[in-house]
């Protein structure tokens, strides 16, 4: 009981830190599922979460699937089969079978990207492990804040 309470509090604090990021306008959850290992799931999640191109696409509300897929691709997975990756923006399936999902429209992606909170769900179809990482967008204000002072 105490362990669960502390874990919940730690999660709230971690999310609050991300929400309070310098110049952040959006809160993004990156959830990787069905990885071969927890380390692999985290590797992919961090590659997406740390990508400046992905973060700026979120700021611009740009449903740029290429940036998301590129970040997964350069995460460094061995024997990676891109045809197996499925990716959702919130509840909208955007990629499957190595390309754009058959039912996906740009309007659906745009509607999700306009939200202040977005979940990116990535199914690697390589195993049963998962990981979740939180991040925020990369805004003009972030650049200004970090360019205007010296430490």
């Amino acid at each position: 009981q105490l362990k669960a309470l502390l874990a919940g509090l730690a999660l709230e604090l971690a999310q609050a830190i991300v929400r309070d990021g310098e110049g952040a306008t959006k809160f993004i959850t990156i959830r990787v599922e069905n990885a071969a290992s927890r380390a692999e799931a985290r590797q992919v999640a961090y590659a997406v979460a740390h990508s400046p191109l992905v973060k700026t696409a979120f700021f611009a509300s740009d449903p740029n699937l290429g940036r998301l897929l590129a970040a997964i691709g350069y995460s460094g997975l061995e024997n990676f089969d891109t045809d197996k990756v499925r990716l959702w923006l919130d509840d909208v399936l955007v990629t499957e079978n190595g390309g754009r999902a058959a039912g996906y429209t740009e309007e659906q992606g745009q509607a999700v990207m306009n939200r202040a909170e977005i979940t990116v769900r990535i199914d690697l179809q390589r195993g049963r492990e998962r990981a979740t990482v939180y991040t925020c967008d990369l805004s003009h204000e972030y650049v200004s804040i970090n360019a205007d002072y010296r430490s």
Side-chain angles (χ1 to χ4, degrees):
Q1 188 74 327
L2 179 61
K3 183 178 178 181
L5 182 65
L6 288 174
L9 180 59
L11 179 61
E12 276 186 49
L13 289 172
Q15 290 178 352
I17 290 169
V18 173
R19 290 178 197 282
D20 195 36
E22 297 168 327
T25 67
K26 295 186 181 188
F27 179 82
I28 315 298
T29 301
I30 310 294
R31 182 172 296 131
V32 177
E33 303 172 344
N34 299 316
S37 68
R38 180 156 164 71
E40 178 179 281
R42 290 178 58 148
Q43 180 177 336
V44 171
Y46 279 117
V48 174
H50 291 163
S51 168
L53 290 175
V54 168
K55 291 166 80 77
T56 54
F58 280 113
F59 174 70
S61 298
D62 177 13
N64 190 322
L65 306 180
R67 289 183 180 184
L68 289 161
L69 294 171
I72 296 167
Y74 64 62
S75 67
L77 296 184
E78 293 186 22
N79 303 313
F80 180 54
D81 184 353
T82 57
D83 289 346
K84 290 187 176 181
V85 174
R86 293 186 298 171
L87 185 139
W88 289 260
L89 293 174
D90 283 346
D91 59 349
V92 177
L93 178 64
V94 297
T95 63
E96 64 182 342
N97 302 319
R100 185 179 290 228
Y104 174 74
T105 66
E106 190 81 14
E107 292 77 24
Q108 292 173 314
Q110 188 65 63
V112 173
M113 294 297 277
N114 287 336
R115 298 175 185 160
E117 295 197 15
I118 301 166
T119 298
V120 176
R121 187 162 57 104
I122 301 162
D123 180 356
L124 298 176
Q125 298 192 66
R126 292 167 56 99
R128 296 181 167 268
E129 297 299 320
R130 63 182 52 214
T132 301
V133 170
Y134 304 102
T135 192
C136 60
D137 58 347
L138 185 59
S139 68
H140 296 289
E141 188 177 354
Y142 174 86
V143 174
S144 295
I145 288 168
N146 286 285
D148 289 344
Y149 76 89
R150 295 177 67 138
S151 53

